[in-house]
Amino acid sequence: MLRDHILSKMVRKLSTRAVLDEDDRTAILALPCIRRSYEPVAYIVHEGAPARKHCMFVIEGLAYRQKVTATGARQIVSIHMPGDFLDLQHLFLNRADHNVQALTRLHTAEIDREALQDLVLSHPTIGRAMWIDALVEASIFREWIVNIGRRDARARVAHLLCEFAVRMQAAGIAEADGYVLPMNQEQLADAVGLTPVHINRTLKSLTADGLIHREKRYLTFSDWERLRVVGDFSALYLHLDQATPLDDEADGAPF
Amino acid sequence: MLRDHILSKMVRKLSTRAVLDEDDRTAILALPCIRRSYEPVAYIVHEGAPARKHCMFVIEGLAYRQKVTATGARQIVSIHMPGDFLDLQHLFLNRADHNVQALTRLHTAEIDREALQDLVLSHPTIGRAMWIDALVEASIFREWIVNIGRRDARARVAHLLCEFAVRMQAAGIAEADGYVLPMNQEQLADAVGLTPVHINRTLKSLTADGLIHREKRYLTFSDWERLRVVGDFSALYLHLDQATPLDDEADGAPF
DNA sequence: CGACTCGTTGAGTGATATCAAACCCGGTGG
DNA sequence: CCACCGGGTTTGATATCACTCAACGAGTCG
């Protein structure tokens, strides 16, 4: 039944962005798609490659997108969680402008690109939901530009930790009181434009100041409010309230 | 006639992204819209404000989007030129997550939001063109993240100058051999996450090395190829080739 | 028990920021 | 015509945040 269909997760996700009717739901579930898995670190998309025949939707696990500069430095430009489309850009762009890699063991639904294009263009409500998804993604990119461009190391790291908290909570993959940090310190560094060493010191400092608590990779929030302030974090840019039109939503403490 | 219609520019722009038929064109030109002007520095959108009734399309002049951190630092997250949509996100998101400001004297076509939504959702080809526009914008955001996160000052500035060159050329607002730098050094600094002072020194250094030539704000490229290399610039991420499916496109020297 | 990955720590360095002043130039008003 | 003004640019001196290099430790796996 619906529960078991591989794309039922996509139905649920898009339902948070627009009100789907029965026809929309069945159309989504009828999309030609296959299940696929990737090991950690596996490359899923290569920069410069022509767009693949499939668009990927994350069922389980985490992935990230990155680019490498001429000098060999890597910058992670986004993190993706269950319920995210991994390569929305390939829906309509025909060449990959960055790499996509599995962060953990990853399970995806790979949806026929043309079929998805047609669906998006022919079903207004689904189209609207997908639009919102793409626009929210762009909003997150903007916030990352601000984070990397104008905040110091402490704020940058704090901000990223806050974003993870809210997004993992929303994706249903956080624990009750915190979450398992999904990346090692080198990857964190590449996400915020710092050095692994400096990430280490910054995390230590945040811990020492009683903002977070760490036990190996497991992270809890000793003082969410203060962390939010240090990280200059406001959840506005995540646009979590798009299903309901303009219901005032706070920067709610997820923990 | 079509030439004179305020939205003819939008028709032309979208035509570079998908093949519009006669029906599409007339539908676009029939959109309810008004012409409007802004003085330099004028705020067009305020962060946190509910989405306006209109979506803005740039007819003439330049604009930028920015966010301000808690500590008062400003980060410019994008620059917009004639032919760009200024607030694509407001098409489907109902709250502004950043500010939009006029950079020069700016002329816009302000299109009724609901009408544009309907058009995008009901006309597949227009929908496709708008999708491409949004996805390219996201691609530019990603490249900016990389630029700010992982390149040193020299490369960052060089990269931005290259991007301006290619985009202004494409928008038809560059001169034959260069362009008038559209921002002062403080704004450049806010765009690449540096200090005005350091921008100054970096520009001087690029000039001294014979990569660019400056005469007040007027910029010419003494050695485009070397500047490209220094800035680690490849035009791939601008996806200028989307009208024609996969025609190999180089990082062409615009000058 | 190596061998490996990841995290931690210390010492020294360097790129970029900060602060402050001078300069340049177009505009304006006496 | 000159004096002055203000925004933008340029320059110098100093400070600092984050980087680099290098080593060590803890946990894990074969």
Side-chain angles (χ1 to χ4, degrees):
Chain A
M1 302 234 353
L2 201 142
R3 283 282 93 162
D4 301 309
H5 192 292
I6 185 180
L7 287 180
S8 64
K9 197 175 188 88
M10 176 169 162
V11 170
R12 251 174 295 149
K13 173 59 180 279
L14 293 184
S15 297
T16 69
R17 305 250 121 121
V19 183
L20 306 181
D21 64 22
E22 195 50 39
D23 178 45
D24 295 325
R25 276 190 287 270
T26 53
I28 292 171
L29 294 175
L31 281 169
C33 102
I34 56 175
R35 183 183 266 280
R36 192 157 166 196
S37 299
Y38 299 89
E39 292 304 315
V41 190
Y43 270 74
I44 301 169
V45 172
H46 281 272
E47 181 171 350
R52 308 157 105 223
K53 303 240 176 326
H54 301 281
C55 275
M56 284 161 294
F57 179 80
V58 180
I59 302 293
E60 198 188 325
L62 298 167
Y64 62 94
R65 313 207 243 168
Q66 48 97 340
K67 286 179 131 170
V68 177
T69 68
T71 57
R74 179 179 69 164
Q75 175 69 44
I76 292 176
V77 298
S78 67
I79 308 292
H80 294 281
M81 305 181 178
D84 291 350
F85 286 91
L86 244 193
D87 60 344
L88 217 38
Q89 70 283 354
H90 292 135
L91 194 50
F92 292 104
L93 298 182
N94 45 35
R95 203 181 275 282
D97 55 62
H98 59 273
N99 305 294
V100 181
Q101 264 182 295
L103 179 54
T104 63
R105 183 160 174 75
L106 183 74
H107 299 277
T108 59
E110 316 227 326
I111 306 165
D112 185 80
R113 186 187 181 220
E114 305 234 334
L116 188 56
Q117 283 186 13
D118 290 346
L119 185 70
V120 165
L121 296 178
S122 64
H123 286 62
T125 308
I126 296 174
R128 167 183 298 265
M130 294 287 286
W131 261 102
I132 292 174
D133 227 58
L135 294 176
V136 170
E137 189 176 291
S139 173
I140 296 175
F141 288 142
R142 286 190 291 270
E143 185 65 28
W144 280 40
I145 292 175
V146 175
N147 201 36
I148 296 172
R150 285 298 184 217
R151 289 200 262 259
D152 66 17
R154 230 176 125 71
R156 258 187 247 189
V157 172
H159 191 280
L160 186 67
L161 298 182
C162 288
E163 180 178 314
F164 279 161
V166 174
R167 288 181 59 195
M168 289 174 80
Q169 192 85 5
I173 56 172
E175 310 286 326
D177 59 342
Y179 57 82
V180 177
L181 200 56
M183 322 167 98
N184 65 28
Q185 297 184 358
E186 186 176 357
Q187 292 162 334
L188 287 174
D190 286 340
V192 294
L194 292 170
T195 303
V197 175
H198 205 61
I199 289 286
N200 184 292
R201 301 198 219 269
T202 307
L203 285 174
K204 255 191 19 171
S205 139
L206 292 174
T207 309
D209 294 353
L211 300 178
I212 56 175
H213 178 79
R214 290 185 301 150
E215 212 171 321
K216 318 213 82 202
R217 291 274 184 90
Y218 190 74
L219 205 74
T220 53
F221 296 86
S222 326
D223 191 339
W224 173 260
E225 183 51 25
R226 218 142 56 84
L227 186 68
R228 244 202 72 240
V229 171
V230 167
D232 186 20
F233 180 82
S234 153
L236 182 70
Y237 74 98
L238 294 173
H239 296 278
L240 295 172
D241 61 338
Q242 278 301 310
T244 52
L246 268 201
D247 188 25
D248 249 77
E249 186 250 349
D251 298 329
F255 303 109
Chain B
M1 303 234 354
L2 202 142
R3 281 285 91 161
D4 301 311
H5 192 291
I6 186 180
L7 287 179
S8 64
K9 198 175 188 88
M10 177 170 162
V11 170
R12 251 174 294 149
K13 174 59 178 282
L14 292 183
S15 296
T16 68
R17 304 250 121 122
V19 183
L20 305 181
D21 65 22
E22 195 49 40
D23 179 45
D24 295 324
R25 275 191 287 272
T26 53
I28 293 171
L29 294 176
L31 281 168
C33 101
I34 55 175
R35 182 183 267 278
R36 190 155 169 200
S37 299
Y38 299 89
E39 292 304 315
V41 189
Y43 269 75
I44 301 169
V45 173
H46 281 271
E47 181 170 351
R52 307 156 106 224
K53 302 239 174 329
H54 301 281
C55 276
M56 285 161 294
F57 179 80
V58 181
I59 302 292
E60 199 188 326
L62 298 167
Y64 61 95
R65 312 207 242 168
Q66 48 98 338
K67 286 180 132 170
V68 176
T69 68
T71 57
R74 179 179 70 164
Q75 175 69 45
I76 292 177
V77 298
S78 67
I79 308 291
H80 295 281
M81 305 181 179
D84 291 349
F85 287 90
L86 244 193
D87 59 344
L88 217 36
Q89 69 283 354
H90 291 135
L91 194 50
F92 292 104
L93 298 182
N94 44 36
R95 205 180 275 281
D97 54 63
H98 60 272
N99 306 294
V100 180
Q101 261 182 297
L103 179 54
T104 64
R105 183 161 174 75
L106 183 75
H107 300 277
T108 59
E110 316 228 326
I111 305 165
D112 184 79
R113 188 189 180 217
E114 304 234 333
L116 189 56
Q117 282 187 12
D118 291 345
L119 185 72
V120 165
L121 296 177
S122 64
H123 286 63
T125 308
I126 296 174
R128 168 183 298 266
M130 294 287 286
W131 262 101
I132 292 174
D133 227 58
L135 294 175
V136 169
E137 188 176 291
S139 172
I140 296 174
F141 288 142
R142 287 191 290 272
E143 185 65 29
W144 279 40
I145 291 175
V146 175
N147 202 36
I148 295 171
R150 284 299 184 217
R151 288 199 262 259
D152 66 16
R154 229 175 124 71
R156 257 187 247 188
V157 173
H159 191 280
L160 186 66
L161 298 182
C162 288
E163 180 178 313
F164 280 162
V166 173
R167 288 181 58 196
M168 290 175 81
Q169 192 84 5
I173 56 172
E175 309 287 326
D177 59 343
Y179 57 82
V180 177
L181 201 56
M183 322 167 99
N184 65 27
Q185 297 183 358
E186 185 175 358
Q187 292 162 334
L188 286 174
D190 286 340
V192 294
L194 293 169
T195 302
V197 175
H198 206 62
I199 289 285
N200 184 290
R201 299 199 222 270
T202 307
L203 285 174
K204 256 191 20 175
S205 138
L206 292 174
T207 309
D209 294 354
L211 300 178
I212 56 174
H213 178 78
R214 289 186 301 151
E215 211 171 319
K216 323 216 79 208
R217 291 275 183 89
Y218 190 74
L219 206 75
T220 53
F221 297 87
S222 325
D223 191 339
W224 172 261
E225 183 52 26
R226 217 142 55 84
L227 186 69
R228 244 202 72 241
V229 172
V230 167
D232 187 20
F233 179 83
S234 154
L236 182 70
Y237 74 97
L238 294 173
H239 295 279
L240 295 172
D241 60 338
Q242 279 300 312
T244 52
L246 269 202
D247 188 25
D248 250 78
E249 186 250 348
D251 298 327
F255 302 110

